[in-house]
Amino acid sequence: MSDFQLAMLAAGALIVLAVFIYNYWQDRRARRHAEQLFRPTERDALLDGEDVQAIPPAPGGRMEPALPGNAAHADLPMYADAQDAPARSPAYVPPVPSSAAQTSARAAQASARSAQPVLPVDAQAIDCIVTVEAPAGIAAAALYTAQQALLAGLSKPLRWFGWDDGDNRFLELDVRSPGSFTRVSAALQLADRRGPVSDAELVRFYDQIQRLCDQFLAVPRLPSRTEVLQRAQEVDRFCADVDIQVAINVIAREGSFPGTKIRALAEAAGLELHADGAYHATDDDGRTLFTLSNQESAVFSAEQLRNLHTTGVTVAIDVPRAPDPVNAFDRMSQFAQQLASTLGGSLVDDNRVLLSDRSLKLIRGQIAQFEQQMEAQGIPAGGEVALRLFR
C-alpha cells in the first residue's frame, strides 16, 4: 500500500472520530438543557416525604379479601392490581425549612391517605370489585337505571357504590340516589349457597360493564378473571365447610297437636309469625335465631292455626345466619323441650331417632366448632357478610 493510500485512510479515520465526538458533545448538551427545563423547582410534599408509608401489594399485586389468614387487611381497600390503587390527591406545600412546615406536610399526607376510597368490609371480602372512573361525572340514577337493563339476570347479587368526595366515603346507590359521581364501583358477589360465580357469567358481567362505561364515557378497571374465579372457589369452599342447619322435631306420641296451643306456646316464648309461614325467634336487632314450622305441608297462618291439627312441628337453626349460634341453640333446645312437655310429644331427629340430653350436648359442641371456624376467618355467624353468603 502506497504512502498516499495510508494517508487517506488515516484522514478518513480522523473524520469519523471527529463526527462521533461532535455527536456525543451535542447529545450531552441537549440532555443538560432538557434537565434544566424539566427539573422540578419545588419539593413535592407527597412524593418526597419520608414519613409516607406505602401499602405494599400482596403477592399477585392485589389485596386479598378477609378470608383464611388475611384478617390483618380487613380494613384496607381491595384492588385487583397494584395499578388499580387510587392516586393520591395532588397537593402543593411550599418547602419552608422549619418544623412547622414539616408538620403541615405530614398532616396533608395523612389527610390524603384518610380520603382514599374504602368499600364496606363485606364488599372487600366476598365481591368482585370493578372500579369505574368517569372524569365528567355520572348521574347516579341514570347509571343505576342503565345497569338494570344491561345486567339483568345475573345469578349473584350486584351492588353499586359511589364515592362521595364531600364525606370521603362510599354510598350505596339505587334508582333514587341523587347527584353524580366521578368514581363508582360495581360489586358482584362471588358465591352463595348456589355455588361460585361461573366463568361465563363473569365474562358477561365484564362485557356489560364495558358497554355501560362506553355509554357514559367512563373507564372500567377490570380485575383478572383468573384471580376472581380462584377467589370465588375459595369463598365457595368456605361456605360449604360451615353451611349447616340443625333441626329438632317434636312429634306427637298420640293424636295430634292443636294449632291454638302451638300458637299460644310460640307467642309466650316471644316468637312472631312471619310471612314465610313460620314463627321466628329474633334478637334485639330483629335477626332470626331459630324458627318454628309445621312438619306437615301446611304452613302456619293466623287463620289456619284456629282449626289446624298436626302430628309434628320442627324447630330449626340456620347456624351461619344465627348471631351467637351456641346460645341460640340453647334457647331453641329449651323451647323444643317445653313444646314436647306441654303438648305430649317426643324430640326426634329427621330419621325419627329419639334425641337425648347427650345427643343435644353433642350437637351443641359441633355448633360451637362451626362458630369458632367462622370467627377465625373473620366472618362471624349472623354478621353482615354471613347473611349475604348464606342467603
Side-chain angles (χ1 to χ4, degrees):
M1 184 176 293
S2 66
D3 292 341
F4 176 76
Q5 290 175 325
L6 289 174
M8 292 298 293
L9 286 174
L14 287 173
I15 292 172
V16 171
L17 180 61
V19 171
F20 175 80
I21 293 173
Y22 177 77
N23 288 339
Y24 179 76
W25 175 75
Q26 287 280 63
D27 180 69
R28 289 291 303 274
R29 181 183 177 188
R31 188 175 301 172
R32 285 196 299 271
H33 182 63
E35 289 175 352
Q36 290 173 356
L37 286 176
F38 297 105
R39 179 182 301 143
T41 58
E42 303 290 355
R43 177 176 176 271
D44 191 319
L46 293 183
L47 296 180
D48 298 336
E50 295 179 357
D51 296 324
V52 177
Q53 296 291 330
I55 300 172
R62 63 185 177 87
M63 296 295 182
E64 291 291 343
L67 284 173
N70 211 20
H73 296 302
D75 59 342
L76 300 176
M78 184 197 72
Y79 297 95
D81 302 297
Q83 66 186 17
D84 289 347
R88 300 181 189 276
S89 301
Y92 172 73
V93 179
V96 180
S98 68
S99 59
Q102 294 173 359
T103 301
S104 298
R106 293 191 184 101
Q109 294 162 9
S111 176
R113 286 195 298 270
S114 67
Q116 298 303 320
V118 180
L119 283 166
V121 172
D122 63 315
Q124 298 175 49
I126 63 171
D127 289 346
C128 167
I129 307 297
V130 175
T131 301
V132 175
E133 302 284 354
I138 304 177
L143 171 69
Y144 197 85
T145 301
Q147 68 86 28
Q148 282 181 314
L150 289 174
L151 294 164
L154 291 174
S155 69
K156 299 293 182 280
L158 173 65
R159 298 185 297 171
W160 286 86
F161 298 89
W163 176 249
D164 187 327
D165 290 312
D167 291 340
N168 288 332
R169 64 190 180 100
F170 269 111
L171 303 175
E172 188 167 355
L173 305 181
D174 59 33
V175 72
R176 296 177 299 277
S177 296
S180 63
F181 299 88
T182 58
R183 176 193 292 268
V184 296
S185 290
L188 178 69
Q189 190 166 316
L190 293 172
D192 54 25
R193 277 179 161 155
R194 294 168 293 179
V197 66
S198 67
D199 186 25
E201 185 162 41
L202 192 60
V203 168
R204 176 174 176 254
F205 174 58
Y206 280 12
D207 289 345
Q208 298 300 73
I209 285 288
Q210 184 63 63
R211 289 183 60 189
L212 188 68
C213 288
D214 292 343
Q215 179 178 338
F216 288 98
L217 302 178
V219 178
R221 294 179 179 177
L222 302 173
S224 162
R225 275 200 359 256
T226 300
E227 291 183 356
V228 171
L229 292 172
Q230 180 179 351
R231 288 183 50 230
Q233 292 291 338
E234 293 171 357
V235 174
D236 183 59
R237 281 195 294 271
F238 168 79
C239 290
D241 288 344
V242 299
D243 193 1
I244 178 174
Q245 294 85 44
V246 175
I248 300 175
N249 300 300
V250 183
I251 60 172
R253 288 193 290 266
E254 296 180 1
S256 60
F257 302 148
T260 51
K261 284 191 176 181
I262 295 173
R263 176 178 181 174
L265 289 169
E267 292 179 350
L271 278 68
E272 296 180 353
L273 185 58
H274 284 205
D276 60 358
Y279 280 96
H280 288 241
T282 59
D283 66 1
D284 293 339
D285 296 322
R287 295 176 297 179
T288 296
L289 303 174
F290 63 88
T291 60
L292 167 67
S293 58
N294 191 0
Q295 198 177 38
E296 298 179 359
S297 58
V299 297
F300 291 150
S301 69
E303 296 77 17
Q304 288 180 334
L305 282 168
R306 297 190 184 97
N307 303 311
L308 178 73
H309 284 78
T310 180
T311 57
V313 294
T314 299
V315 288
I317 179 173
D318 192 341
V319 174
R321 291 184 60 86
D324 197 358
V326 170
N327 285 334
F329 178 76
D330 288 342
R331 180 177 166 185
M332 183 182 89
S333 300
Q334 293 171 3
F335 177 64
Q337 290 170 334
Q338 182 183 5
L339 286 174
S341 175
T342 305
L343 297 174
S346 301
L347 302 185
V348 300
D349 62 17
D350 288 338
N351 297 316
R352 291 191 171 259
V353 176
L354 288 174
L355 291 173
S356 63
D357 290 342
R358 181 175 179 275
S359 300
L360 296 175
K361 186 176 180 179
L362 290 174
I363 295 173
R364 185 183 190 276
Q366 291 176 336
I367 292 175
Q369 291 179 3
F370 285 112
E371 181 180 7
Q372 291 170 4
Q373 186 175 347
M374 294 187 71
E375 288 283 352
Q377 307 310 322
I379 302 180
E384 188 172 0
V385 180
L387 292 178
R388 290 185 57 210
L389 283 175
F390 300 95
R391 185 172 301 170

